[in-house]
Amino acid sequence: MTYPYPSLPYPRVGNPLGWLGLVLNSIFRSALKWPRRWLNSIEIRGSRQARWICRLIPASCPFERDIRLGSRTVHIPALCRINPFYEEIIALRLRAAAYLAEAAAQPQPPSSQEIPSCP
């Protein structure tokens, strides 16, 4: 079997658009680098911010559904994996949840009402 491009070290398989698809894929990936780096660089600085992030980002995909139509059940799969920022968003939620767990495990300083006054 001969390939139409003998100078290529590998056969053209997998990308239906050929080289145009490879170029578009490269442009798409490079365009998403900055937002991904920004999402990964967000630091959790307080419990209020961590609680807000945990409330904002759901733990499971909210779009996954089972719809019953009479005796049939139609399953709509989770479409969150299509989101190009899915892994970064879930990592941000995990960092916020870890911050809240760490803050809850630390002993809290006594409040001013609990400190006995000195005689």
Side-chain angles (χ1 to χ4, degrees):
M1 179 159 116
T2 60
Y3 298 108
Y5 302 103
S7 63
L8 292 176
Y10 54 88
R12 288 181 53 187
V13 179
N15 194 344
L17 296 177
W19 291 107
L20 177 64
L22 294 174
V23 170
L24 291 175
N25 190 16
S26 174
I27 292 171
F28 183 70
R29 286 180 186 261
S30 64
L32 295 179
K33 281 184 184 177
W34 182 83
R36 283 185 175 158
R37 266 191 252 138
W38 177 74
L39 282 170
N40 286 330
S41 69
I42 294 175
E43 294 181 20
I44 310 299
R45 295 190 176 130
S47 59
R48 184 176 178 192
Q49 178 190 19
R51 277 194 298 276
W52 182 77
I53 289 172
C54 284
R55 268 188 270 133
L56 182 69
I57 302 170
S60 62
C61 188
F63 305 112
E64 185 175 17
R65 299 275 186 259
D66 284 331
I67 299 174
R68 298 194 65 192
L69 300 171
S71 63
R72 292 187 168 192
T73 302
V74 178
H75 178 74
I76 299 175
L79 301 175
C80 294
R81 292 272 179 181
I82 296 173
N83 184 353
F85 304 113
Y86 175 76
E87 292 175 4
E88 286 78 13
I89 291 171
I90 295 300
L92 177 63
R93 186 182 196 286
L94 181 64
R95 287 196 309 265
Y99 182 90
L100 289 174
E102 185 179 309
Q106 292 178 352
Q108 300 295 326
S111 65
S112 61
Q113 296 171 353
E114 295 176 354
I115 298 175
S117 60
C118 294

